[in-house]
Amino acid sequence: MIIKKKIKDLQETVNGFKKNKKSVGFVPTMGALHNGHLFLINTCKRENDICICSIFINPAQFNNKTDFDKYPKTIENDIALLEGAGCDILFLPDTAEMYAENEQLLHYNLGFIETILEGQYRPGHFQGICIIVDKLLAAVLPRLLYLGRKDYQQCMVIQKMMDLKKYEIQLHICDTVREPDGLAMSSRNMRLNTEERKQAVSIIISLKNIQQTLAAVNIEVAKKEAIHYLQQKGFKVDYVEIADTITLQPVIHWDGKQPLIALVAAYINEVRLIDNIAL
Ligand code: AMP
């Protein structure tokens, strides 16, 4: 696997492959890799000649300094996993490479989608993501971009940013990879102690409960029951929302046909977990 730390070097290498008519797919990550990330890498490898992964813990997308400081870092293990998965190029920049000193940061007109859910509870989070993903895409210009459904709103936001910037890049949203008990894999799961890890499964149980009862109860009741369930299991709930799959506009009355998604964000002690399920 080729490792590049500078944008210029990365571009030179990628352009070399493109000149040889190789198709390029791209998987951006923040490291602390697990099987969810590797599923994206494997899908990217299958669908492209060249698979590029980036690892960069982007300070601009953390609205909480402790969360940033405590974000897991396992770079040696990450490199071994990527090599094992056959990743062709790892882009591993430092903060100075991605952010110039006193840089005037772009602002993206994301509209409604950044005001709700994660946007409401993590102000500036999606602007921070767009800044870095935009820079990464501009450097790599892949044919396909691979993102995970676990971060569903992030997928919608990045699609919007790519539309605004007129990138001709196709977004491939990959299914959420889960632990055997159903917990969505996440780098943040490494921060859970044994007891918290046991409780964490309640997130997917609350979502499955919504999935099973939605036709029988109305949306407000389904949401209230899920919040109550999570609180009983010791969670501090940021939101349980049932929304339109495309716009993420919360839905109050369901006609039984509109495609819906249920989304949860909740803390178990210090660790904030998110998940979602199609209804
Ligand atoms: P992160 O390193 O958390 O920024 O995630 C990098 C990419 O991996 C994002 O597109 C995530 O949505 C995706 N991802 C994270 N967890 C999972 C998972 N359990 N299943 C599938 N994709 C995931």
Side-chain angles (χ1 to χ4, degrees):
M1 181 171 70
I2 303 168
I3 300 181
K4 295 289 172 194
K5 297 195 167 188
K6 302 283 173 204
I7 292 175
K8 208 169 141 284
D9 294 345
L10 173 70
Q11 277 173 324
E12 269 173 25
T13 309
V14 176
N15 288 342
F17 283 117
K18 286 186 185 163
K19 266 197 197 117
N20 288 325
K21 302 267 177 276
K22 302 284 187 200
S23 62
V24 171
F26 179 49
V27 183
T29 80
M30 297 204 297
L33 301 183
H34 49 67
N35 281 342
H37 297 113
L38 294 182
F39 179 53
L40 270 59
I41 297 283
N42 290 334
T43 310
C44 175
K45 267 208 72 82
R46 210 176 44 243
E47 297 181 351
N48 302 275
D49 298 321
I50 300 296
C51 169
I52 305 179
C53 175
S54 65
I55 295 181
F56 179 63
I57 305 180
N58 172 25
Q61 74 187 66
F62 287 82
N63 51 325
N64 176 323
K65 181 148 180 348
T66 318
D67 191 26
F68 176 64
D69 291 341
K70 291 200 170 163
Y71 200 82
K73 294 162 196 80
T74 59
I75 191 62
E76 273 163 31
N77 189 52
D78 293 350
I79 290 173
L81 287 175
L82 288 172
E83 277 180 335
C87 177
D88 298 289
I89 303 175
L90 167 62
F91 182 48
L92 189 60
D94 62 14
T95 308
E97 181 65 10
M98 297 312 288
Y99 292 103
E101 231 176 284
N102 299 324
E103 179 181 338
Q104 189 65 41
L105 297 176
L106 279 183
H107 185 272
Y108 300 82
N109 287 323
L110 299 170
F112 172 75
I113 195 131
E114 75 163 329
T115 65
I116 48 164
L117 305 168
E118 291 301 286
Q120 185 184 343
Y121 286 90
R122 304 183 68 187
H125 172 62
F126 287 127
Q127 289 295 329
I129 286 182
C130 284
I131 286 163
I132 214 66
V133 175
D134 189 4
K135 288 182 187 204
L136 292 168
L137 292 181
V140 177
L141 288 178
R143 184 175 68 103
L144 273 147
L145 169 67
Y146 295 82
L147 300 175
R149 183 171 293 271
K150 186 182 85 73
D151 300 280
Y152 188 78
Q153 190 178 8
Q154 172 173 288
C155 296
M156 299 296 116
V157 163
I158 290 175
Q159 180 65 67
K160 173 108 196 203
M161 180 277 285
M162 293 202 296
D163 293 344
L164 289 171
K165 295 293 299 270
K166 300 200 179 350
Y167 279 114
E168 287 181 5
I169 298 169
Q170 205 185 320
L171 175 58
H172 184 145
I173 300 177
C174 298
D175 279 346
T176 303
V177 178
R178 298 180 180 280
E179 300 287 355
D181 67 356
L183 174 67
M185 289 192 180
S186 163
S187 306
R188 286 190 172 84
N189 295 353
M190 290 179 197
R191 291 180 54 202
L192 299 170
N193 65 29
T194 315
E195 195 46 40
E196 292 164 345
R197 171 62 188 84
K198 268 194 218 147
Q199 295 295 352
V201 71
S202 306
I203 299 237
I204 184 62
I205 294 176
S206 73
L207 287 167
K208 284 194 174 153
N209 286 345
I210 293 178
Q211 199 180 42
Q212 277 157 18
T213 58
L214 194 64
V217 301
N218 76 32
I219 285 191
E220 279 312 309
V221 174
K223 284 195 318 198
K224 273 199 190 120
E225 283 178 359
I227 291 171
H228 182 65
Y229 176 80
L230 286 169
Q231 285 171 340
Q232 273 191 329
K233 297 286 177 186
F235 284 82
K236 184 175 99 46
V237 179
D238 269 358
Y239 60 79
V240 171
E241 193 53 271
I242 296 173
D244 180 271
T245 308
I246 305 298
T247 62
L248 285 184
Q249 184 90 41
V251 171
I252 298 161
H253 301 292
W254 187 41
D255 60 9
K257 292 182 201 134
Q258 186 180 11
L260 297 182
I261 181 166
L263 309 104
V264 170
Y267 283 89
I268 180 112
N269 298 326
E270 297 294 306
V271 185
R272 187 174 184 276
L273 300 174
I274 62 170
D275 199 356
N276 65 76
I277 200 168
L279 298 177

